[in-house]
Amino acid sequence: MSFNSMASKLVFSPSEDEILLQEIQKNPILFDLSDANYKNIVLKDRIWKEISLKIGKSVDDTKKRWKNIRDSYSRNKRKLGTGLLEKGRFSQKSCHFSIIFRWIMLKDSNEDNEFI
């Protein structure tokens, strides 16, 4: 068995992504550097376990998916600032991903809170 066939691809459904984002939003300790418990690794690990159980994925896959969403959002937010999205030079990978961005951006604009 080759290394490539052993590597698993992260596949989250839109509903799993939505649950993940809702749970992350409920737990600012996972993203807010100013949270008093931000450095509490034991508490963060417990929260990640709870979230992964709700989604039905491993803790590692759940964390990787969050990092992927967060990083993609940050990249696209920067591109939006440079006008690349308006000029049509950037196309999003899928409708699914675009829905996630819109959901995060809506949350961002409705709350004076950076959701990353």
Side-chain angles (χ1 to χ4, degrees):
M1 186 177 268
S2 71
F3 176 78
N4 287 340
S5 64
M6 290 174 50
S8 66
K9 185 174 183 178
L10 287 179
V11 178
F12 278 64
S13 70
S15 62
E16 290 168 335
D17 280 340
E18 186 174 342
I19 293 166
L20 173 60
L21 293 171
Q22 289 170 351
E23 292 302 315
I24 294 287
Q25 187 177 23
K26 289 179 197 174
N27 293 285
I29 183 178
L30 299 175
F31 65 89
D32 185 355
L33 293 140
S34 66
D35 188 286
N37 289 308
Y38 182 77
K39 293 186 178 184
N40 186 336
I41 295 168
V42 173
L43 181 57
K44 287 169 84 170
D45 284 346
R46 186 177 54 96
I47 292 169
W48 279 117
K49 282 181 188 175
E50 291 171 7
I51 293 171
S52 67
L53 285 172
K54 286 182 182 180
I55 296 173
K57 302 283 185 180
S58 73
V59 173
D60 284 343
D61 283 351
T62 303
K63 286 180 177 181
K64 285 176 190 173
R65 181 62 180 150
W66 165 241
K67 184 179 181 328
N68 178 272
I69 291 171
R70 185 195 64 207
D71 293 350
S72 295
Y73 170 70
S74 295
R75 274 192 309 276
N76 284 295
K77 193 170 180 180
R78 279 193 304 274
K79 287 180 182 179
L80 183 61
T82 64
L84 291 178
L85 286 174
E86 292 89 0
K87 294 175 185 172
R89 290 190 218 156
F90 176 76
S91 63
Q92 292 170 334
K93 290 182 182 178
S94 68
C95 178
H96 167 69
F97 221 49
S98 129
I99 290 167
I100 293 168
F101 289 138
R102 278 190 231 132
W103 189 84
I104 294 172
M105 287 182 199
L106 179 63
K107 293 293 181 189
D108 232 10
S109 64
N110 287 338
E111 304 165 7
D112 294 323
N113 177 353
E114 280 290 316
F115 188 63
I116 54 174

